[in-house]
Amino acid sequence: MSGIIVVTNNFVRDIKDNQGGSLLKWIDYQAPESVADAVKILADSDGKARPLAGGTDLIVQLRVKDPRVNAETVVDIKKIPELNQMDYDKSGGLTIGAAVPLHLIYNNPDVIKHFPAIIDSASLIGGTPIQGRATLGGNLCNGAPSGDSIPNLVAHKVIATVAGPNGIREIPVEDVCTGPRQTSIDSNELLVSLYFPNPGEGFGANYIRFIPRNEMDIAVAGAGVSVNISNGKFVDARVCLASVAPKPILVEGASKALVGQPVNDESIQNAAEAAREAASPISDMRGTAEYRKHLCEVLTRRALNTAIERAGGN
Amino acid sequence: MTTTDYDPNVVLSTENDFKVVGTRPVRHDGVDKVTGRAIYGADYDASGLLHGKILRSPHAHAKIISIDTSKAEALDGVHAVVTAADFPEAADKIMELGEDETKLRDLRGNILARDKVLYVGHAIAGIAATNAHVAEEALSLIEVEFEVLPSVMTTDEAMADGAPILHEDQTTEELGDDSGVVSNVAKHFQHIKGDIAEGFKQADVIVEREYNTVTVHQGYIAPHNGTAFWSADGRLHIWCETQGSFVVRDSLADLLDMPVSMIRVTPTEIGGGFGGKIPIYVEPVAALLSKKTGTPVKIVMTRKETFEGSGPTPGSKIKIKVGATKEGKITAAHAWMAMEAGAYAGSPVGAAAQCVFAAYDLENGLIDGFDVVVNKPKTAAYRAPGSPNAAFGFEQALNELAEKLGMDPIDLRLKNVATEGTRRVDGPVFQRIGAKEVLESMREHAHYLSEKQEGSGRGVAIGFWFNIGFDSACNIALNKDGTVNLTEGSTDVGGSRTSIAMQAAEVLGISAEDVRPSVVDTDTIGFTAVTGGSRTTFATGWAAYEAAQDVKKQCITRAASIWDVDPDHLQMEDGIISSKTDSELKMTIKELAAQLSDTGGGITGRASVKPRGVGGSFCGNIVDLSIDQETGKITIDRFTAIQDAGKALHPSYVEGQMQGGSVQGIGWELNEEYFMSDEGKMNNTSLLDYRMPTALDLPMIDTVIVEVANPGHPFGVRGIGEANIVPPTPAIANAVYDSCGSRITQLPMSPGSILEALKS
Amino acid sequence: MTTKTHVQTTINGEPVDFLCEPRQSLLECLRDVIGLTGTKEGCGDGNCGACTVNIDGRIVTSCLVLGVEAQGASIETIEGVADGTNLHPIQLAFLEGAALQCGICTPGFIIATKALLEKNPDPTEHEIRFWLANNLCRCTGYDKIVRAVQDAAKRMQEA
């Protein structure tokens, strides 16, 4: 760069150049009261509208003028009934609306009783005041590789219900994230809710992450796992990792290492090593690639042990 | 309540003959601060207020070819744009700035870059607009043409042969003389005592190691801010958060080439400083903008600007060599220290050199200090500036030495401890100090005597910071009900107006609540130096003591005139004026106050002091920690801080300073750092990624206040604000070694680096 | 581009209407539009907690709420914690326990503490530290804050 004359138009900047307290860019605000109205606003906006639920990511992105969030309109979706539902159904499944804030989730009796592992994520995204606003839906749609709820949703085999101009479609949650902050939900579509199917017998799950502080941090690595145990054997298992690839990754090798195997340290270690191998992290200020791969192994092992305990298998 | 089998906060008091000193009254400004009424800098409002924003450099090192502000000026809502060209040209001079001195030219260059930008975040232009949104939008319309230059980010890079040069006119001052060599090394100095070559010959054991630390920030929660109003009568009024209103006034007078009497600085409440709010940043820009617009202009930095555009404390490279006899007598020590000054000369390496060996009585010592400019923000003071960096090296080396000698690390320190009469390697001779008492308290503390938890590591270290004296002024007016109004000029960062008021109350024999202290503006009080250098309670407290003595003397004189007796026969104690000879003659200060108007008018005491009896304080830590063997994450399990306060005026505030300093040290050690990109940009400019400790990262911080009275203060007070940040870094490093057997010589001790150490 | 929205809220028990642009955060509205400057800004991205307020019974960082979102909401700020000239037990505990130094983080801590103790009248030290982890204090090292919260809990239970 030395010696080159550069004309700097300061408007074109790296996102980092606006981190830490810049003001919001100009936006219009709409607060529709039905899914149809919301979808219409999104569809009419030529990709320049963004749903606003808790805003704990979106408002920061608007402040830093993130070019990936080219929003001229924010669509406040908190007034839409379907997006605020929390419904435990007869089949043993749970629907959580996309705009339900985390604090309502971890205080919900059905969650506490039937899906306690969701609380692992819901209670560690941000701090208490963030949890007053932030949502699982927003965490998923933000599509950050480090999103603390996404591996947990994947471990729970959650189905995302999405409304768009052509009606409703359902997406397995592991197919939502496609890259760093990219999702398969189109800019004219709206995530309505997340469906947690009945996890079946002998189920246990857990999400843990590694951060240098004890709260208020971005995962250096995270592992969301689930197991179904019957007669001392894994009959089903999922391991999904955060922060170690361009998107959260479902580790097929870990499932293979567990399903059909007895619940013991060897199986768990094999799954942990599969997680380590599946991770393809970068080195950055949060940690080196090698350290993050190592963490995947440690976190997967620890999370599996907790999940097994919760499944009553240990 | 946390249950402990010992008292977590102990005061080892030596002198209890006081009525107010040593008690714990509620602070006078407290209600305003728990109800949201207190006005901080960003809260200040004025009619017609405009909002300012500052354009900052995206390059670490570049020539400014041109600046075109025309498009920004044309934007609706923009009222004015200023650049360095708006500063008057004034001859260069050396400026005294609180604890530091700097060249006027450097200060001006740092406020608004003139020919070159020297770091990412370097201010280039200021804009005043109707609101902050418009001002921020207008920033993007300023076009700057740069010629980007190669940059240097560390002392190693900056000192290398052929390194890119920041200042073509900067030649190295080599051992006091101008070397004539253009370089990034502003200064190399030495302190020598004895002969270290001879000393090392006598040593049975020698430890030699290099230690490195990186840039960290004070982390005050309120970003820098300032409002300026340049009135039509030519007077400039500033409202800002500063540790020194007179520093702001005098710096502005030099920068703007105007008499100090034309500038009035009103210090608002201040949302943290720790040294970082001694220098000025936005105030002169707001002043230039106000001059152009004729209206008040407020500028509040963002968090990112606070990281990139204020003054952090430096990264450093420190090499320590220390030798001792097998009996544990240190025979020689050498400290080689290079510190990043940032973009302009003036790192805290000078202070580091005064502190590095201060706790020890060394026969042979050599200190080399290098002040090195790099393409980072100009460093500013941060709580005992330089001393934690130095202690991170020397206090680790001492533990290594103790291990080689098979000695307890506290015993090794006690064997070599500095006491009254010890001549430091850098020259001064200590008066009465408390280093020995601090070490003895550590050795006897329940924490040190307790069994370590299984798998945990324990470390100890001590640290030093002096007190500075400097100017302070205080006025005290007696009200008709016997209460007093006290005005002083030390901006209050953490309760000092109460600790100062308590000293006046003690003299007058009234309660702390009967003193109403106010921190006032520069038009209203005599010159008072910065709140810094652990001087405020010590020096401004002394001014309050003297002003109260003045009131006391006038009360006695007035009573003598009322009673028509010789004032020499009267005394005043516990708020009662009485005759030494006639027990009938007695009057409370309240009774006297009620008659003032009828007996000759009011009573006002005043004092301006520049105390010389500066003490200095030592602080020691005992820390237990555990390490997650699989992730390398450190958990601080137990932490004890033990500090010599001379006399703890308000023990809760002393404890608060000790706890706060300890935790800043813990953050420095574990996670805090400027994470710089290859292009010299800080990658972690948010409080999410600049990881200061949260409540959940810490245990209770236990305290022991040791009182070794400072003979240089009427109540024996020592300034205690700073020494407590010095020992945490080496104490934790020593505990890590105790836990895992590896010496960590690079800060911060991130989990990844600890895991590497565990593996090796 | 300069259209402002009329927002109707209840702040500290009183009806408050204000006009704001959609790009203004609730924090800006409180401080710059309404003039309630007790709520502080330390970081602008939800990580320091100085701007914590209570909306409809839940604490949030007001820098990450749009002013327009507050339509119909009931908001509690530090200015509403004391009952006239009677300080709240939490305020007394902070004052008497020397749990503040510079005081800039104090409003956020008090609002957060009040929400904690209303939900959990007798929290453990760990629960206090967890709840308050989104509120940064750089002066105190948190020791006296945690003790003040414990003290406030006791005062509130005895009241």
Side-chain angles (χ1 to χ4, degrees):
Chain A
M1 292 264 275
S2 170
I4 303 165
I5 297 198
V6 184
V7 178
T8 301
N9 178 343
N10 288 282
F11 198 58
V12 183
R13 294 185 187 182
D14 194 284
I15 299 163
K16 289 200 174 70
D17 291 344
N18 290 313
Q19 224 179 40
S22 293
L23 296 165
L24 267 85
K25 57 184 244 177
W26 181 265
I27 44 170
D28 285 322
Y29 172 82
Q30 305 226 36
E33 295 182 11
S34 72
V35 171
D37 286 352
V39 168
K40 184 165 190 327
I41 296 166
L42 292 170
D44 289 350
S45 70
D46 195 23
K48 290 181 178 164
R50 277 274 176 161
L52 168 73
T56 54
D57 284 316
L58 180 64
I59 293 175
V60 174
Q61 288 154 3
L62 293 171
R63 282 177 179 272
V64 303
K65 287 92 183 168
D66 186 335
R68 293 171 294 191
V69 182
N70 184 20
E72 291 175 358
T73 302
V74 298
V75 186
D76 187 344
I77 54 175
K78 292 189 289 296
K79 294 186 176 148
I80 305 172
E82 293 91 321
L83 276 77
N84 287 304
Q85 61 181 322
M86 288 267 272
D87 182 25
Y88 184 70
D89 62 38
K90 285 181 202 145
S91 76
L94 176 71
T95 304
I96 298 181
V100 178
L102 299 172
H103 77 99
L104 291 182
I105 296 173
Y106 57 66
N107 285 317
N108 180 284
D110 290 322
V111 170
I112 294 167
K113 188 168 176 199
H114 303 292
F115 294 93
I118 305 171
I119 299 169
D120 299 340
S121 295
S123 63
L124 59 65
I125 293 173
T128 323
I130 299 297
Q131 292 155 14
R133 294 260 294 169
T135 63
L136 293 181
N139 198 238
L140 177 63
C141 292
N142 187 48
S146 58
D148 280 310
S149 75
I150 305 172
N152 207 344
L153 299 178
V154 172
H156 281 85
K157 300 182 180 171
V158 164
I159 304 293
T161 299
V162 173
N166 304 320
I168 301 279
R169 65 187 180 111
E170 293 185 337
I171 317 173
V173 78
E174 57 268 31
D175 296 336
V176 171
C177 296
T178 54
R181 307 270 301 285
Q182 291 164 354
T183 69
S184 57
I185 300 172
D186 197 69
S187 63
N188 60 10
E189 290 183 311
L190 177 69
L191 175 69
V192 176
S193 60
L194 299 167
Y195 182 66
F196 291 70
N198 183 334
E201 293 299 308
F203 178 81
N206 182 219
Y207 174 77
I208 54 172
R209 65 178 179 181
F210 181 80
I211 53 172
R213 291 197 286 197
N214 287 337
E215 265 295 312
M216 297 304 294
D217 225 329
I218 305 287
V220 180
V225 308
S226 65
V227 295
N228 286 79
I229 295 170
S230 177
N231 298 322
K233 283 190 173 175
F234 295 102
V235 294
D236 200 357
R238 275 192 165 193
V239 172
C240 184
L241 303 172
S243 270
V244 290
K247 58 175 186 168
I249 47 170
L250 177 59
V251 184
E252 305 283 354
S255 299
K256 278 188 197 141
L258 294 170
V259 175
Q261 298 301 312
V263 177
N264 61 26
D265 287 348
E266 191 189 341
S267 315
I268 294 167
Q269 184 58 28
N270 288 340
E273 280 167 21
R276 180 198 174 96
E277 289 315 307
S280 55
I282 53 167
S283 291
D284 66 9
M285 65 180 174
R286 305 192 200 287
T288 63
E290 189 47 40
Y291 181 57
R292 288 174 138 165
K293 281 175 82 79
H294 167 79
L295 287 174
C296 287
E297 179 185 331
V298 173
L299 295 174
T300 299
R301 180 171 2 99
R302 290 180 179 182
L304 279 170
N305 278 318
T306 303
I308 291 162
E309 198 181 311
R310 286 175 175 174
N314 222 348
Chain B
M1 238 23 199
T2 313
T3 50
T4 44
D5 53 359
Y6 63 98
D7 186 350
N9 304 111
V10 180
V11 183
L12 299 174
S13 195
T14 51
E15 169 73 78
N16 292 309
D17 201 19
F18 296 115
K19 295 286 190 310
V20 178
V21 168
T23 63
R24 305 181 188 229
V26 167
R27 57 196 285 168
H28 299 81
D29 53 326
V31 170
D32 280 353
K33 285 181 178 162
V34 298
T35 55
R37 298 278 167 198
I39 298 297
Y40 293 77
D43 304 336
Y44 183 75
D45 197 8
S47 61
L49 186 71
L50 296 175
H51 296 264
K53 285 275 172 189
I54 292 177
L55 179 71
R56 295 180 180 277
S57 171
H59 303 297
H61 194 190
K63 276 187 193 155
I64 297 175
I65 308 296
S66 65
I67 305 175
D68 182 353
T69 61
S70 56
K71 285 180 190 152
E73 282 165 38
L75 185 72
D76 266 0
V78 170
H79 288 244
V81 181
V82 295
T83 65
D86 291 287
F87 275 125
E89 277 295 344
D92 199 19
K93 62 182 257 192
I94 300 292
M95 301 168 68
E96 297 278 345
L97 287 184
E99 295 178 89
D100 304 317
E101 54 178 41
T102 190
K103 289 181 188 157
L104 172 58
R105 194 189 51 182
D106 288 353
L107 178 66
R108 195 170 55 205
N110 198 39
I111 302 286
L112 285 171
R114 187 164 289 238
D115 307 317
K116 261 174 127 184
V117 286
L118 295 166
Y119 54 96
V120 172
H122 199 160
I124 297 170
I127 291 180
T130 318
N131 63 52
H133 289 267
V134 174
E136 191 179 285
E137 201 182 328
L139 290 181
S140 61
L141 299 175
I142 299 178
E143 285 176 0
V144 186
E145 209 177 358
F146 295 105
E147 180 185 341
V148 179
L149 303 169
S151 56
V152 290
M153 294 313 224
T154 62
T155 55
D156 277 351
E157 287 172 23
M159 293 168 87
D161 288 341
I165 295 292
L166 273 72
H167 304 283
E168 291 296 343
D169 56 353
Q170 175 180 287
T171 52
T172 304
E173 181 191 318
E174 176 67 26
L175 304 183
D177 296 321
D178 184 352
S179 67
V181 177
V182 173
S183 120
N184 292 321
V185 179
K187 189 186 207 177
H188 169 218
F189 63 89
Q190 278 188 337
H191 298 298
I192 304 172
K193 183 182 174 190
D195 179 348
I196 59 163
E198 200 51 45
F200 282 121
K201 271 189 215 158
Q202 294 161 21
D204 297 312
V205 178
I206 290 176
V207 168
E208 192 169 7
R209 216 178 261 285
E210 180 185 308
Y211 308 85
N212 288 281
T213 75
V214 298
T215 308
V216 296
H217 197 270
Q218 297 86 351
Y220 32 83
I221 303 298
H224 290 266
N225 54 71
T227 302
F229 177 49
W230 202 305
S231 168
D233 64 8
R235 289 208 78 201
L236 172 62
H237 195 162
I238 302 281
W239 298 260
C240 64
E241 288 186 13
T242 176
Q243 289 176 243
S245 44
F246 286 89
V247 172
V248 176
R249 183 194 70 174
D250 294 0
S251 312
L252 282 166
D254 286 338
L255 283 167
L256 302 170
D257 198 20
M258 59 200 283
V260 293
S261 59
M262 294 300 280
I263 302 172
R264 176 182 182 186
V265 176
T266 300
T268 64
E269 297 299 338
I270 170 171
F274 314 108
K277 284 186 186 152
I278 295 173
I280 54 171
Y281 300 100
V282 299
E283 296 88 340
V285 182
L288 291 173
L289 288 166
S290 180
K291 189 180 186 184
K292 275 200 174 175
T293 59
T295 52
V297 176
K298 175 157 86 173
I299 300 179
V300 181
M301 282 193 190
T302 63
R303 177 54 52 182
K304 175 187 167 68
E305 288 181 285
T306 301
F307 278 124
E308 291 188 337
S310 70
T313 206
S316 53
K317 177 184 282 296
I318 291 167
K319 298 174 196 173
I320 299 289
K321 183 178 179 186
V322 56
T325 65
K326 55 183 182 296
E327 291 78 27
K329 182 71 200 159
I330 297 173
T331 57
H334 180 201
W336 182 102
M337 300 189 283
M339 288 194 186
E340 298 166 5
Y344 299 94
S347 77
V349 68
Q354 293 168 294
C355 292
V356 62
F357 298 144
Y360 306 101
D361 186 0
L362 302 183
E363 268 177 47
N364 305 297
L366 170 63
I367 301 163
D368 280 290
F370 297 84
D371 184 30
V372 185
V373 295
V374 297
N375 292 111
K376 289 184 183 174
K378 165 73 176 77
T379 55
Y382 175 23
R383 205 168 203 153
S387 191
N389 310 51
F392 178 65
F394 192 59
E395 288 287 310
Q396 278 204 76
L398 284 184
N399 266 42
E400 211 173 333
L401 198 61
E403 189 191 20
K404 286 192 174 182
L405 292 165
M407 280 181 82
D408 176 276
I410 295 180
D411 288 342
L412 173 68
R413 286 172 171 83
L414 274 168
K415 187 146 193 144
N416 296 284
V417 72
T419 54
E420 186 172 359
T422 297
R423 178 174 288 282
R424 295 206 311 246
V425 173
D426 58 303
V429 176
F430 274 125
Q431 300 179 26
R432 184 78 172 92
I433 50 170
K436 180 163 167 279
E437 288 78 359
V438 165
L439 283 163
E440 286 169 348
S441 295
M442 288 167 69
R443 194 171 56 180
E444 291 154 17
H445 194 275
H447 183 174
Y448 199 63
L449 298 174
S450 68
E451 286 290 317
K452 278 187 293 181
Q453 297 291 312
E454 171 112 12
S456 76
R458 178 169 293 167
V460 295
I462 64 169
F464 171 70
W465 187 254
F466 6 63
N467 297 173
I468 56 174
F470 291 3
D471 308 75
S472 281
C474 180
N475 295 333
I476 299 176
L478 182 56
N479 293 316
K480 64 183 179 184
D481 62 355
T483 63
V484 300
N485 295 334
L486 181 156
T487 49
E488 44 106 351
S490 285
T491 57
D492 180 357
V493 199
S496 61
R497 85 195 87 186
T498 295
S499 65
I500 289 161
M502 288 168 73
Q503 298 180 59
E506 186 70 45
V507 172
L508 296 172
I510 60 179
S511 71
E513 292 76 16
D514 279 347
V515 181
R516 176 48 50 184
S518 299
V519 179
V520 294
D521 66 70
T522 54
D523 277 9
T524 316
I525 189 74
F527 182 84
T528 298
V530 293
T531 294
S534 296
R535 66 173 290 277
T536 306
T537 295
F538 166 76
T540 308
W542 196 325
Y545 171 88
E546 293 291 348
Q549 292 289 0
D550 188 7
V551 170
K552 186 174 171 178
K553 202 166 82 192
Q554 292 180 55
C555 286
I556 288 172
T557 308
R558 184 66 58 87
S561 92
I562 291 169
W563 290 328
D564 196 18
V565 296
D566 184 340
D568 289 346
H569 294 164
L570 300 185
Q571 61 190 3
M572 180 168 154
E573 266 174 19
D574 295 340
I576 298 167
I577 304 142
S578 60
S579 167
K580 295 176 200 166
T581 52
D582 180 351
S583 62
E584 292 293 301
L585 288 182
K586 228 177 216 181
M587 178 160 48
T588 66
I589 190 169
K590 288 189 186 345
E591 289 164 342
L592 175 71
Q595 318 176 30
L596 287 181
S597 187
D598 300 330
T599 58
I603 288 179
T604 303
R606 61 192 164 82
S608 282
V609 300
K610 188 161 187 172
R612 301 211 162 270
V614 292
S617 180
F618 291 85
C619 185
N621 289 159
I622 309 162
V623 57
D624 287 7
L625 54 78
S626 47
I627 300 174
D628 183 327
Q629 299 292 313
E630 288 188 319
T631 64
K633 183 165 168 170
I634 293 172
T635 300
I636 306 289
D637 298 318
R638 186 171 179 183
F639 196 101
T640 304
I642 299 175
Q643 186 171 357
D644 171 23
K647 176 70 205 171
L649 257 161
H650 190 304
S652 295
Y653 295 172
V654 175
E655 289 157 9
Q657 291 292 320
M658 292 166 70
Q659 290 161 338
S662 297
V663 168
Q664 285 185 317
I666 290 170
W668 192 337
E669 176 84 12
L670 297 184
N671 285 314
E672 292 180 32
E673 66 179 306
Y674 273 45
F675 207 96
M676 305 301 288
S677 75
D678 292 343
E679 296 79 37
K681 279 186 192 182
M682 182 184 182
N683 276 338
N684 54 333
T685 56
S686 75
L687 289 178
L688 181 63
D689 290 330
Y690 186 85
R691 302 187 190 96
M692 309 198 300
T694 73
L696 195 60
D697 299 325
L698 299 159
M700 292 295 189
I701 307 295
D702 297 336
T703 59
V704 177
I705 299 171
V706 178
E707 293 190 341
V708 177
N710 173 13
H713 183 277
F715 300 123
V717 166
R718 296 178 191 274
I720 48 77
E722 297 175 85
N724 36 56
I725 199 177
V726 181
T729 50
I732 295 170
N734 286 333
V736 167
Y737 175 80
D738 187 46
S739 171
C740 74
S742 284
R743 276 277 154 216
I744 312 285
T745 57
Q746 167 77 52
L747 289 182
M749 296 191 176
S750 65
S753 68
I754 296 287
L755 192 68
E756 286 298 311
L758 286 172
K759 282 188 200 156
S760 66
Chain C
M1 285 272 284
T2 53
T3 323
K4 291 193 175 182
T5 304
H6 177 201
V7 181
Q8 294 172 297
T9 60
T10 303
I11 300 181
N12 300 324
E14 295 291 325
V16 176
D17 285 23
F18 60 90
L19 292 176
C20 72
E21 297 174 354
R23 66 177 166 179
Q24 287 180 292
S25 67
L26 177 60
L27 177 62
E28 287 173 76
C29 294
L30 288 171
R31 291 176 54 83
D32 301 343
V33 180
I34 302 166
L36 290 172
T37 56
T39 305
K40 307 301 182 188
E41 174 160 1
C43 73
D45 49 22
N47 291 301
C48 77
C51 68
T52 304
V53 300
N54 193 312
I55 300 183
D56 295 332
R58 248 336 264 199
I59 53 168
V60 300
T61 47
S62 59
C63 70
L64 295 186
V65 179
L66 301 179
V68 288
E69 285 185 87
Q71 171 61 36
S74 179
I75 301 166
E76 184 188 31
T77 70
I78 186 65
E79 287 90 346
V81 174
D83 177 12
T85 56
N86 294 319
L87 294 180
H88 190 280
I90 298 169
Q91 293 171 314
L92 287 170
F94 271 66
L95 267 185
E96 291 169 15
L100 61 146
Q101 286 181 31
C102 83
I104 196 87
C105 70
T106 309
F109 269 98
I110 288 175
I111 289 288
T113 299
K114 188 158 178 271
L116 169 66
L117 297 182
E118 282 166 2
K119 175 183 137 82
N120 180 357
D122 188 21
T124 63
E125 182 186 332
H126 181 82
E127 286 168 338
I128 293 168
R129 290 182 181 277
F130 183 83
W131 186 271
L132 297 176
N134 205 150
N135 291 79
L136 292 177
C137 169
R138 192 59 159 173
C139 295
T140 65
Y142 304 103
D143 185 300
K144 291 193 188 305
I145 291 176
V146 173
R147 290 181 199 279
V149 175
Q150 291 169 328
D151 178 33
K154 212 181 286 174
R155 287 173 194 242
M156 287 167 73
Q157 281 177 314
E158 284 164 7

